[in-house]
Amino acid sequence: STTTTTLMVLRLTGVCPFKEFLDGLTFVEEGYTASGARYFKAAEAEQYLYHDYDCNGGGNGKKRWIIDENSPDPSRTEDLDQDGACNYHARHDSDDTYGPPTAAVWQIWCGVEWVNTILHLDMVSNYTYDDGMDESNSLKLRSYFKKSCQQKEYMNNLQFEYQGVTANGSPYYKSVTSDEYIYYDPHCSGNVSGSARWVLDSDAPSLTALSDLDGDGNCSYHGRAKSLDTSAPPKGSMWKMDCGGVWKDMWVALVRLPMTTTSVTATSTTATATTAPKADGPKPVMLNGAAGPQHHLAFLLLGLALLSGRQ
């Protein structure tokens, strides 16, 4: 079979000479932040493109797209680089979280002052991208949990590897450094009235049981995300996490880890320069994946953030 994944890839041009090191960088979609906006990392350098509701976290800033050398925390909606200030290369004020404009006026720091400059973020076609298909290396997951749940801080940067499939045909994963697992359980207590879910657990799943895969007769685990998709954990969704006996709503974003290469073909678009402060965001690139089962995809658990009051 062939898998199809939505991926946005953009190339930056038009920067001032002081920022010429940014010119021509290719920004590849990494995942989603807690606000639901895409964020990007340059393929060639430690440079990032993301949307921030309030760049200093003061509660009175404007929403904007930002080009920054500091990586954003995907678990946040404000001050994503956590510097307590609005320090970055460039910004474009916008409420649109779908994607940055293809061509619009940005304020960019050009060494002496902030200069209004038309920057282009053109869609990239035929981009070589790792689609996670690799029979020898198998699946790998890496968790990246910020301090929203102190009890689970030890999970920061855990890497998980694909192990095989359970009796229900779903993939399961094990941390390469500890006994932690990710697996799919249709009924975590064995009661058929329970909701199907992806589970993060310290108990290994049974490869023969169809429900209650950890065999504890209860729904005891680190966290879960309700889902009817048995093929892979959700790319980004709310999880219920056990934080010292208190269940909290947390955001977990998942992005594939690279393993093998695939060619990306973008739908042709026309980017028109404008002096207006805002332009329509580009449409996503469709990635045509190599043949293979969906459970051979690799993901990055990029963020775990407390979002109070959300279910």
Side-chain angles (χ1 to χ4, degrees):
S1 61
T2 301
T3 57
T4 302
T5 301
T6 301
L7 182 72
M8 191 178 284
V9 184
L10 307 170
R11 180 159 291 131
L12 174 65
T13 56
V15 299
C16 60
F18 186 77
K19 297 290 186 183
E20 64 179 352
F21 60 90
L22 296 174
D23 202 54
L25 289 184
T26 304
F27 286 89
V28 182
E29 179 184 333
E30 290 275 291
Y32 294 82
T33 65
S35 67
R38 290 177 171 88
Y39 70 100
F40 306 77
K41 180 186 180 298
E44 307 90 345
E46 293 293 325
Q47 302 294 341
Y48 300 86
L49 173 63
Y50 59 90
H51 190 267
D52 201 317
Y53 277 8
D54 187 355
C55 57
N56 64 10
N60 58 357
K62 292 182 177 180
K63 297 178 181 179
R64 61 194 66 186
W65 283 94
I66 287 172
I67 302 172
D68 196 350
E69 65 183 5
N70 296 317
S71 62
D73 179 349
S75 71
R76 300 172 67 93
T77 60
E78 298 180 354
D79 189 19
L80 271 66
D81 64 359
Q82 300 184 77
D83 64 356
C86 295
N87 295 323
Y88 38 68
H89 299 305
R91 78 150 216 247
H92 171 74
D93 292 346
S94 175
D95 292 338
D96 185 1
T97 59
Y98 176 79
T102 55
V105 174
W106 288 63
Q107 284 195 317
I108 182 169
W109 179 253
C110 293
V112 178
E113 60 182 350
W114 292 93
V115 178
N116 289 332
T117 305
I118 295 176
L119 298 185
H120 293 262
L121 286 161
D122 296 320
M123 193 70 66
V124 176
S125 61
N126 298 321
Y127 178 71
T128 299
Y129 171 77
D130 287 307
D131 72 349
M133 301 291 183
D134 193 304
E135 297 291 340
S136 60
N137 290 327
S138 201
L139 261 186
K140 292 183 180 180
L141 295 167
R142 190 173 60 195
S143 62
Y144 183 68
F145 297 133
K146 289 295 184 181
K147 297 181 180 179
S148 302
C149 182
Q150 295 280 340
Q151 295 81 2
K152 296 297 185 283
E153 189 175 357
Y154 69 93
M155 293 183 179
N156 285 354
N157 297 309
L158 284 185
Q159 182 171 307
F160 292 81
E161 188 172 82
Y162 170 76
Q163 301 293 300
V165 296
T166 61
N168 58 36
S170 299
Y172 74 101
Y173 315 91
K174 181 183 182 297
S175 166
V176 298
T177 56
S178 61
D179 291 328
E180 305 292 352
Y181 301 85
I182 297 174
Y183 59 88
Y184 188 80
D185 200 326
H187 310 292
C188 57
S189 68
N191 187 331
V192 294
S193 64
S195 300
R197 62 198 64 192
W198 284 94
V199 171
L200 179 58
D201 198 349
S202 58
D203 295 323
S206 167
L207 302 186
T208 58
L210 293 174
S211 63
D212 187 19
L213 271 65
D214 62 0
D216 64 359
N218 291 293
C219 295
S220 298
Y221 37 66
H222 298 304
R224 59 90 171 152
K226 290 184 178 180
S227 175
L228 297 177
D229 183 359
T230 64
S231 64
K235 181 178 180 181
S237 70
M238 296 298 296
W239 286 60
K240 285 279 190 183
M241 297 297 300
D242 181 7
C243 300
V246 178
W247 289 93
K248 296 182 179 180
D249 290 316
M250 317 297 266
W251 178 261
V252 177
L254 302 99
V255 179
R256 290 195 255 187
L257 286 174
M259 287 185 185
T260 59
T261 60
T262 296
S263 177
V264 175
T265 302
T267 302
S268 61
T269 59
T270 302
T272 303
T274 176
T275 57
K278 180 178 179 181
D280 292 336
K283 296 187 178 182
V285 176
M286 299 305 295
L287 177 92
N288 294 318
Q294 288 186 357
H295 62 256
H296 280 220
L297 300 177
F299 296 90
L300 186 65
L301 278 168
L302 267 169
L304 180 60
L306 175 61
L307 296 182
S308 303
R310 291 182 61 182
Q311 299 296 325

